[in-house]
Amino acid sequence: MTETLPFTVLADDTAYAEAVQLAVDSAAAYYADGTSALDDDAYDRLVRGIQAYEEAHPEAVLPSSPTGKVAGGAVVGDVPHTVPMLSLDNVFGAEQLADWAAGLERRLGRPVTAWSVEPKLDGLAISARYRHGRLAQLVTRGDGSAGEDVSHAIGTIVGLPDRLADPVTVELRGEVMMTTAQFEAACAKRQAHDGTTFANPRSAAAGTLRAQDRPYVCELTFFGYGVVPPPDDHSELAVRLRELPHSQIMDWVAAQGVQTTAATPVAGIVADALERVQERVGEIAAVRAELPFGIDGIVIKCDLAADQAEAGFSSRAPRWAIAYKLPATEKITKLLGVEWNVGRTGVIAPRAVLEPVELDGSIVTYATLHNVADITRRGLMLGDSVTVYKAGDVIPRVEAPVVHLRTGDERPIEIPQVCPSCGDAIDSSQERWRCVRGRECRAIASIIYAVGRDQLDIEGLAENRVKQMLDAGLIADFADLFFLTREQLLGLERMGETSTDNLLAAIEQAKTRPLSRVFAALGVRGTGRSMSRRIARHFATMDAIRTADAEAIQQVDGIGSEKAPVVVAELIELAPLIDKLVQAGVNMTEPGATPPAEGEEPKVELPLAAMSVVVTGTMTGPLATLSRNEVNELIERAGGKASSSVSAKTSLLVAGEKAGSKRAKAESLGIRIVTPEEFAGQVHAFL
Ligand code: IVH
């Protein structure tokens, strides 16, 4: 995690004044309707630059400076808050967090009793005023002392009920945001209405919250993170809510029927030591990419009311809480071009070429654009400023154009009329466009994949060799390899006797691979290595696979109603290739598997039966020599399901050396973790 982020260096008073103006304008646009020209990271850097300049030149500080102000001083509203709605100070790493905590404990003159650790939700702060249990008014944060009335949004916010469980008069504070699903739905509605989309969930939520006369309604989500009883209220409940630890207040909020993060994978926890806080920060960061809503950090608060009261407030933020910012997962950059790549199966995939941008720890230059329909749906144009998203090991993707940053110089994206690889026609009947020649279009890619280490594992067949054979007309697909003669191979340039014999022996050897690998070599769309193993174990023979209809295919774990017909269609398309493999004498059975009898599930007692196992880190001990694919094969021989990502469904994590985020995630989900050695002991009979 980044400890200190660089900041914009300001040379003189003029540069400083310009920076202040830019920050003020950006904050105004950001809090108004989410249309800032700067992404979060750029804004943070700018404000830190302003801060640094002000520290060095206190005499030059402009009154309009955003430093020390809630919402950068951007917004004013006309509804006064009963208790100010403050901001949070930030830290950007473990060391800064420790410094902050040490400073706080010095101020208190004793250790903090307990910490509450919860996600920092990436939306807009709102105050929901309930009178006698009924939702009466919604107010934005504004400048912290007064906000704007947005009560018109009542009834469109999931998690914020019209009535509380008890007829109480309180103010709930929390974040209004859009979940990923709500964002997609909102974009589709806006697209249908005016042909544009929202740049990201946060600006969509900001725009939606303030929109009054839109002809379409978009749903929002609320997560509560605090309660404010009326200041003059001295009832038993009000007193209790002022005295309870934060964690228990959140339980009360949830009991009132208001959504909190309690039911999410990043639920708030109470930590008694800073080490546990830091650990929880890691856990939350590890699951961030898979959350159904955006977070931009972790909020760490003193849990006890007494600690909070003693710590007090600065003008801008409480001293008893801090925001631990996570690296940005979204940035704005320019869409420079679109490349059209034709994959192994003939699928034509557009890829965005971007002005390089640093995102979540790596430089992003390319991002997926999914398919043509996606490009048109988002109304993308060349030269557009676009929001790009990347988190963890997620493939970077272009989210949307930032429409308000258009200059008029943007050009339409040219959609190919013919296959960019071979020039033949395009089959555009499905969302994913394909060359009409299908696999033949990219025969070389299919063959190289088929002979790869995790499939047929034919040594000595490098790309240039395959190309040579294709050019000479010796092969058209990988099944043809099994019919090559010694003379044909010797006739190729740079092919001596020894390499010919070695290659022929390797090809012969490949005929004995288990069905799972032969099936994987086919490169059936929608099935990778692990799915191929599951299919092979389930059906045991190629014949059984080929006679299965979509319903029978769906019996395989992980194949749903969408994928099953694709697999069936693919097998029909691949029939001539499979026939050729059979004719060549390639093995078509899976050792140790028996085909499923009609209507009956195979009953076997295997050590990993019904378990989903994930392997991460470097393997040691008896597993040290196995490739990751071979470890996965081992898991499946022992009856388990090998999976590449940790989720609530994971039963076991085999964590080797240098295990990173998967280990943290498994820990946060309470999943059993074993060493490679322990695991090898468990499955030794299958090694
Ligand atoms: S507590 C007195 N808890 O972050 C300040 N804020 O950058 C109380 N936010 O204005 C804020 N998640 O809009 C708190 N779990 C959380 C939060 C959270 C998101 C927002 C909130 C606040 C902003 C400060």
Side-chain angles (χ1 to χ4, degrees):
M1 235 158 273
T2 349
E3 223 20 92
T4 39
L5 292 177
F7 55 82
T8 315
V9 177
L10 303 170
D12 52 25
D13 284 2
T14 318
Y16 164 73
E18 276 169 11
V20 166
Q21 193 55 48
L22 177 59
V24 167
D25 291 348
S26 302
Y30 182 80
Y31 288 100
D33 54 3
T35 60
S36 167
L38 299 180
D39 52 52
D40 289 1
D41 219 34
Y43 180 79
D44 280 352
R45 245 178 299 139
L46 184 67
V47 173
R48 277 198 301 274
I50 292 172
Q51 231 155 15
Y53 192 82
E54 290 174 350
E55 275 162 28
H57 309 271
E59 74 295 343
V61 175
L62 290 169
S64 56
S65 168
T67 58
K69 291 183 189 159
V70 169
V75 262
V76 273
D78 49 8
V79 185
H81 291 299
T82 49
V83 173
M85 284 184 85
L86 296 181
S87 198
L88 289 169
D89 287 330
N90 296 325
V91 291
F92 294 90
E95 222 171 277
Q96 289 184 4
L97 173 66
D99 288 349
W100 170 78
L104 176 57
E105 295 189 333
R106 263 198 308 278
R107 172 178 277 271
L108 296 180
R110 59 176 171 79
V112 167
T113 321
W115 300 101
S116 160
V117 191
E118 51 193 45
K120 182 166 177 348
L121 304 153
D122 192 9
L124 306 104
I126 201 151
S127 153
R129 299 178 171 183
Y130 283 87
R131 282 190 209 117
H132 309 297
R134 282 180 188 274
L135 182 51
Q137 194 179 27
L138 285 182
V139 187
T140 64
R141 184 171 70 167
D143 67 354
S145 52
E148 210 180 320
D149 188 307
V150 286
S151 303
H152 55 263
I154 291 176
T156 63
I157 309 176
V158 175
L160 195 63
D162 287 347
R163 295 193 78 147
L164 297 180
D166 299 328
V168 290
T169 297
V170 285
E171 203 179 305
L172 287 179
R173 291 190 175 173
E175 204 79 350
V176 168
M177 54 205 294
M178 269 193 194
T179 62
T180 314
Q182 286 171 335
F183 172 63
E184 289 296 329
C187 285
K189 283 184 186 165
R190 180 159 173 194
Q191 177 71 31
H193 179 250
D194 64 9
T196 64
T197 53
F198 296 105
N200 57 46
R202 194 193 172 280
S203 67
T208 299
L209 189 61
R210 312 174 105 241
Q212 294 221 40
D213 39 19
R214 260 195 209 152
Y216 54 96
V217 177
C218 302
E219 201 181 77
L220 296 160
T221 288
F222 177 84
F223 285 106
Y225 52 64
V227 177
V228 179
D232 53 358
D233 185 348
H234 302 290
S235 66
E236 198 188 317
L237 175 73
V239 172
R240 194 154 66 90
L241 287 176
R242 287 191 198 103
E243 288 176 354
L244 277 179
H246 173 71
S247 50
Q248 288 179 35
I249 293 177
M250 293 323 294
D251 295 342
W252 180 85
V253 170
Q256 290 301 318
V258 174
Q259 180 165 252
T260 67
T261 53
T264 71
V266 286
I269 62 144
V270 178
D272 53 9
L274 206 59
E275 292 79 64
R276 177 65 192 123
V277 171
Q278 187 54 50
E279 205 175 70
R280 184 65 183 163
V281 166
E283 289 163 6
I284 293 179
V287 297
R288 180 190 193 188
E290 284 122 79
L291 291 176
F293 49 82
I295 64 170
D296 57 348
I298 291 97
V299 182
I300 297 132
K301 306 174 179 172
C302 291
D303 195 43
L304 296 197
D307 286 358
Q308 291 188 4
E310 268 181 67
F313 298 87
S314 76
S315 65
R316 195 188 88 101
R319 293 207 173 87
W320 45 262
I322 197 85
Y324 187 121
K325 289 294 248 344
L326 291 174
T329 50
E330 190 190 85
K331 277 209 181 148
I332 298 175
T333 187
K334 278 250 154 54
L335 176 64
L336 302 177
V338 175
E339 284 178 356
W340 298 86
N341 299 317
V342 185
R344 205 160 23 85
T345 58
V347 168
I348 301 166
R351 180 167 87 147
V353 184
L354 304 168
E355 209 168 84
V357 57
E358 196 274 335
L359 208 46
D360 195 19
S362 63
I363 303 287
V364 175
T365 315
Y366 299 103
T368 179
L369 282 169
H370 303 290
N371 52 53
V372 175
D374 210 56
I375 293 177
T376 23
R377 239 193 325 261
R378 295 175 199 275
L380 277 174
M381 297 180 81
L382 288 183
D384 257 336
S385 294
V386 291
T387 44
V388 180
Y389 176 90
K390 178 188 177 291
D393 41 15
V394 167
I395 298 168
R397 63 165 192 263
V398 171
E399 206 148 55
V402 186
V403 180
H404 64 269
L405 291 182
R406 284 203 169 138
T407 60
D409 292 337
E410 295 75 20
R411 286 157 295 121
I413 293 172
E414 232 172 278
I415 309 290
Q417 304 298 311
V418 294
C419 170
S421 173
C422 72
D424 213 323
I426 294 175
D427 172 3
S428 55
S429 59
Q430 311 276 318
E431 249 199 9
R432 301 199 114 216
W433 287 12
R434 241 184 131 191
C435 171
V436 288
R437 295 177 63 219
R439 290 186 160 72
E440 267 174 46
C441 171
R442 298 273 295 128
I444 185 152
S446 310
I447 297 170
I448 287 164
Y449 176 77
V451 304
R453 178 167 179 211
D454 294 332
Q455 287 72 246
L456 294 177
D457 193 14
I458 302 181
E459 229 174 286
L461 251 189
E463 176 164 351
N464 55 356
R465 217 28 115 203
V466 174
K467 185 165 184 310
Q468 217 182 359
M469 294 178 187
L470 278 166
D471 290 346
L474 297 185
I475 57 170
D477 54 42
F478 76 85
D480 291 336
L481 292 169
F482 296 102
F483 297 91
L484 287 172
T485 64
R486 196 162 188 273
E487 291 63 45
Q488 283 175 325
L489 288 177
L490 281 172
L492 293 173
E493 250 178 71
R494 299 182 309 278
M495 194 73 183
E497 300 231 342
T498 321
S499 18
T500 298
D501 291 336
N502 288 346
L503 182 57
L504 283 172
I507 292 173
E508 197 56 31
Q509 183 75 36
K511 290 184 185 172
T512 63
R513 303 278 177 252
L515 174 63
S516 50
R517 284 170 166 250
V518 177
F519 189 88
L522 295 174
V524 173
R525 270 191 293 155
T527 69
R529 285 173 300 219
S530 92
M531 182 63 78
S532 296
R533 283 196 296 273
R534 261 175 268 157
I535 292 173
R537 286 202 66 77
H538 183 88
F539 290 104
T541 70
M542 183 66 93
D543 274 347
I545 300 176
R546 294 177 89 179
T547 49
D549 56 13
E551 207 181 312
I553 295 267
Q554 267 188 72
Q555 301 301 312
V556 179
D557 192 17
I559 300 193
S561 56
E562 246 171 62
K563 200 175 265 186
V566 177
V567 174
V568 173
E570 283 275 283
L571 287 170
I572 293 169
E573 184 180 310
L574 289 161
L577 180 69
I578 301 172
D579 288 341
K580 225 192 290 180
L581 292 170
V582 172
Q583 196 195 338
V586 173
N587 168 57
M588 291 290 165
T589 58
E590 185 69 359
T594 39
E598 275 305 303
E600 185 198 332
E601 287 282 308
K603 284 192 200 68
V604 261
E605 275 308 318
L606 294 167
L608 301 180
M611 289 176 71
S612 172
V613 184
V614 177
V615 180
T616 188
T618 314
M619 290 298 105
T620 44
L623 305 185
T625 55
L626 302 188
S627 71
R628 189 50 49 90
N629 187 57
E630 285 165 338
V631 177
N632 289 342
E633 286 177 337
L634 169 66
I635 291 169
E636 280 157 26
R637 277 200 301 281
K641 188 181 137 191
S643 169
S644 58
S645 59
V646 174
S647 76
K649 290 191 194 132
T650 307
S651 338
L652 183 71
L653 179 78
V654 184
E657 280 165 22
K658 299 201 195 80
S661 64
K662 287 183 192 174
R663 185 183 182 110
K665 187 168 173 186
E667 277 169 1
S668 76
L669 293 169
I671 290 162
R672 192 153 75 87
I673 301 173
V674 294
T675 64
E677 287 76 11
E678 286 168 326
F679 183 69
Q682 213 174 333
V683 296
H684 63 94
F686 300 85
L687 261 168

